[in-house]
Amino acid sequence: MQNSYVIQNPFGIHARPARKIVEAAKASKESVTLVKDGKSFNAKSLVHVISVGAKFGDSITVNADGEQAEDVIAAIGAILTAVEQHAEKEQ
Amino acid sequence: MLSKLFGKTKSKTIEILAPLSGEVLALTAVPDEAFAGKHMGDGIAIEPSEGKIVAPFDGTVAHLIHTNHAIIVEHNSGLQLLIHIGINTVALNGNGFRAHVSSGDSFQAGDILIEFDRAVIEAAGCPSITPIVIANEDEVKQLEHIVSSGSVTAGAEAVLRAEMNE
């Protein structure tokens, strides 16, 4: 199954949110991928997730299989749509 | 992986040179829970004494973050290292950072990867302490901390030794 989300963090998916995505993806034993502009990235690899280069306003599709797919997709979706606190106090 | 059992009988050990000059500190000294709690991976932190990141080994740029404040470098053994200059520096949106490489580039140990301006980082209220962590811990069997305190010179001495899975 899959679901799409739009990045809400003004700083996109940089190192810290990327690590949270990897942790959420590792809750599943099955493959979890992020898709942006037709390119697929392994959500369990920090380098892959950072390499997505997701910026504010980008649409990302999360794909997952298995019994926990729904929970894993929702957990990653929450990270993709989260806004970091330190982002709010800038500017 | 079954295929990995064949053809590789000895484990690969990589010495990681200090990617910047400064004072070596434990990750727990980093004022960011993600790094301090080792959630980003095991490694060390360096409080920079100069604004220059050099390659810690021969390898390639696995990914340069578009704002140039962090880079993931990869050794040919597969070891991936994340070097994150300062804390909350993503907010600077590239201001104060100048990359000398792009994603996919090859480099030799000691080559300059990124130059940065500590004054710009500190003026924005960001700590300039720089965590250096293993980005793919799953593939690392053991990480040894060669240096855990005191000052180091960029490219001159090994700070970490990683033994890869066989």
Side-chain angles (χ1 to χ4, degrees), chain B residues 9-146:
Chain B
T9 50
K10 278 183 88 175
S11 59
K12 182 95 182 171
T13 300
I14 300 107
E15 297 221 324
I16 300 167
L17 302 176
L20 67 165
S21 298
E23 193 78 13
V24 175
L25 296 159
L27 279 181
T28 48
V30 177
D32 179 316
E33 171 49 30
F35 284 108
K38 295 189 183 177
H39 305 302
M40 301 298 290
D42 194 6
I44 57 163
I46 296 181
E47 182 67 47
S49 59
E50 94 182 297
K52 192 173 70 175
I53 303 292
V54 307
F57 40 63
D58 295 351
T60 55
V61 180
H63 191 72
L64 173 71
I65 287 168
H66 74 280
T67 47
N68 296 342
H69 72 284
I71 189 167
I72 297 170
V73 290
E74 183 166 336
H75 185 267
N76 65 15
S77 63
L79 177 75
Q80 294 168 333
L81 197 69
L82 168 67
I83 303 168
H84 194 287
I85 306 164
I87 298 304
N88 294 336
T89 39
V90 65
L92 289 167
N93 202 25
N95 186 25
F97 299 93
R98 189 159 76 89
H100 289 242
V101 290
S102 306
S103 295
D105 284 359
S106 296
F107 50 73
Q108 303 288 309
D111 288 354
I112 296 179
L113 301 177
I114 300 172
E115 285 185 287
F116 61 98
D117 189 336
R118 282 164 63 208
V120 171
I121 295 172
E122 280 156 27
C126 299
S128 57
I129 188 168
T130 296
I132 298 140
V133 301
I134 304 297
N136 57 342
E137 281 194 309
D138 296 352
E139 292 167 44
V140 176
K141 190 174 176 186
Q142 203 182 326
L143 184 71
E144 186 186 336
H145 292 231
I146 300 171

Side-chain angles (χ1 to χ4, degrees), chain A residues 1-53:
Chain A
M1 63 184 291
Q2 63 176 53
N3 206 348
S4 296
Y5 301 90
V6 175
I7 307 296
Q8 303 296 329
N9 189 358
F11 300 112
I13 301 303
H14 58 99
R16 188 174 8 199
R19 171 57 74 179
K20 289 184 187 167
I21 289 171
V22 170
E23 283 172 13
K26 283 185 175 172
S28 168
K29 287 190 169 72
E30 310 285 335
S31 123
V32 182
T33 56
L34 304 182
V35 182
K36 179 178 166 246
D37 302 332
K39 272 197 215 165
S40 187
F41 301 85
N42 176 6
K44 295 183 182 181
S45 156
L46 182 63
V47 176
H48 277 233
V49 175
I50 291 176
S51 302
V52 175

